Amino acid sequence: MEPTHAALREAFRARGRQLWLVGGALRDRLLGIASHDIDYATDALPDEVEEIARGLGARVTTVGKRFGTIGVLLEGEWVEITTFRGDSYAPGSRWPDVTFGRSIEEDLARRDFTITAFAENAHTGEWLDLFGGEADLRAGIIRAVGEPAARFREDPLRILRGVRFVSQLGFRLDPATAAGMRETAHLIAALSQERITAELDKLLQGRAPAAGLEALRETGALPFALPELAGMPGCEQNRFHRFDVWGHTLATVDAIAVDPENRRIRRWAALLHDLGKPAVRHTKPNGEWGFYRHEVVGAELAEALLERLRFGRADAHVVVLLVRRHMERPDPADRRAVRRFMAKLGGHWRDLLALKRADNASHTYDDTAYHDALEAACLRAEQEEAEAIRAESPLSGDDLVRMFDRPPGPWIGVIKRQLGAMVLDGELAPGDRAAAERIARRLMGRG
Ligand code: ATP
Ligand code: MG
């Protein structure tokens, strides 16, 4: 259910101000997906918008006010109300110099893609689609508003937003828009790293990440957005592989199983797992390409790359660990090897197994049986560990020494093992010290 914002609409209407629903919310409605991205555009200036918002008794934020945006908390969600824009961008500058426009038409014309450039009048319901955005949305096309190269020159971040939409929406680039991106891709270098990284992060976590990455390559943006990956396309492999390193990487990114909570780490690990291959490639004695120790070199390169992206230390650490360990292949029948493997992964063995399965998806051999066996062995080890903790005596050696006022000796081990066995058998609750003391006394009484 879309929110109504009746009080907001009424307050704008009462002052004779326009109010248009714009951007993501309309896009999501046409796509039939829930939206938490509600933006309005208005002819009221930010001071007046703030006054109206405060008049509603709602919580208000003014952090975006110098860009023309006032945030209002309505019906439990933050809503952004932005004064019509008529931006003039200084080419290559980080932020637009904000100028306010006079009409919704002017505002829509400065938006980047047709699928973000339609509006619905909140008072009358009038639908305003000046650039064919609805048709493009239904056809799944990302098309620049206006002359593509000129728009990308104004703000090169739009190139990355476009390829990000390819991944997020599963759309494709209109050919003229892609050509405009190719012409201007070098300008990405002038953008701040934070803005680039935010777009790459969204691209990688979209529903069609391989398509987004391929769009990044096709538009020539890859060497500017992720120069560290530029050696992957065309890096041929050997008979174990169906694709070159780039094709294999894309297949792995698309194949890796993800949940919302591990999506970021797993997708980035899939992207970077073979980063070391172009650097270490060498000819083996049998004449084939070899990639000896590519996971070690790859982990070092991945660490440097993620630091450059300002990725966040905790997530970067896990991604690098997964890259470093993705060639590990412990014998599932060897309990100690399985435990060593799990210890090295510090709680992330499931992520590594997901990476190994995805990696295998574009190999020429099927390793599913091995991965199933390794997963079963890891689960068994985890269960044994849990049981070992549960089998612990509720009383420690120190407890027993104090209780019986006797010097430590082999008797402690005897009592603790007995208590532990009873916990494992369910005869004694894991933390029940009182019962454990009674049992200990009885055991000691028997000598
Ligand atoms: P998301 O919210 O997923 O980042 P979005 O397209 O909704 O995607 P916002 O940053 O919320 O992006 O911006 C809201 C609207 O402002 C967009 O729908 C688009 O019309 C416009 N817009 C955003 N960034 C730009 C830009 N760099 N150039 C032109 N218009 C833009
Ligand atoms: Mg948005």
Side-chain angles (χ1 to χ4, degrees), residues 23-25 27-28 35-39 80 161 164-165 202:
R27 190 172 72 218
D28 293 341
S35 186
H36 302 282
D37 191 21
I38 301 162
D39 297 288
E80 295 197 332
R161 280 174 47 87
R164 182 251 286 188
F165 285 133
K202 286 181 186 175

Side-chain angles (χ1 to χ4, degrees), residues 57-85:
R59 274 182 64 194
V60 170
T61 167
T62 57
V63 288
K65 192 167 175 180
R66 64 197 180 99
F67 306 112
T69 300
I70 301 291
V72 196
L73 188 62
L74 290 178
E75 298 165 36
E77 278 186 315
W78 283 101
V79 170
E80 295 197 332
I81 306 172
T82 304
T83 305
F84 291 155
R85 294 281 181 73

Side-chain angles (χ1 to χ4, degrees), residues 201-218:
D201 222 6
K202 286 181 186 175
L203 184 162
L204 218 50
Q205 293 179 66
R207 71 158 81 153
L213 288 164
E214 187 57 6
L216 201 63
R217 186 192 67 76
E218 277 171 4

Side-chain angles (χ1 to χ4, degrees), residues 241-296:
H241 290 270
R242 291 198 275 134
F243 306 125
D244 69 1
V245 173
W246 178 249
H248 166 66
T249 295
L250 298 200
T252 308
V253 170
D254 261 5
I256 196 162
V258 293
D259 287 326
E261 67 272 18
N262 57 37
R263 176 183 249 112
R264 183 175 200 232
I265 281 167
R266 288 189 181 185
R267 290 270 177 85
W268 277 95
L271 179 69
L272 302 180
H273 79 282
D274 276 349
L275 182 58
K277 276 190 170 175
V280 305
R281 190 169 71 160
H282 55 94
T283 312
K284 295 197 288 189
N286 68 0
E288 286 188 334
W289 290 119
F291 299 98
Y292 180 62
R293 284 170 66 79
H294 72 274
E295 69 279 17
V296 179

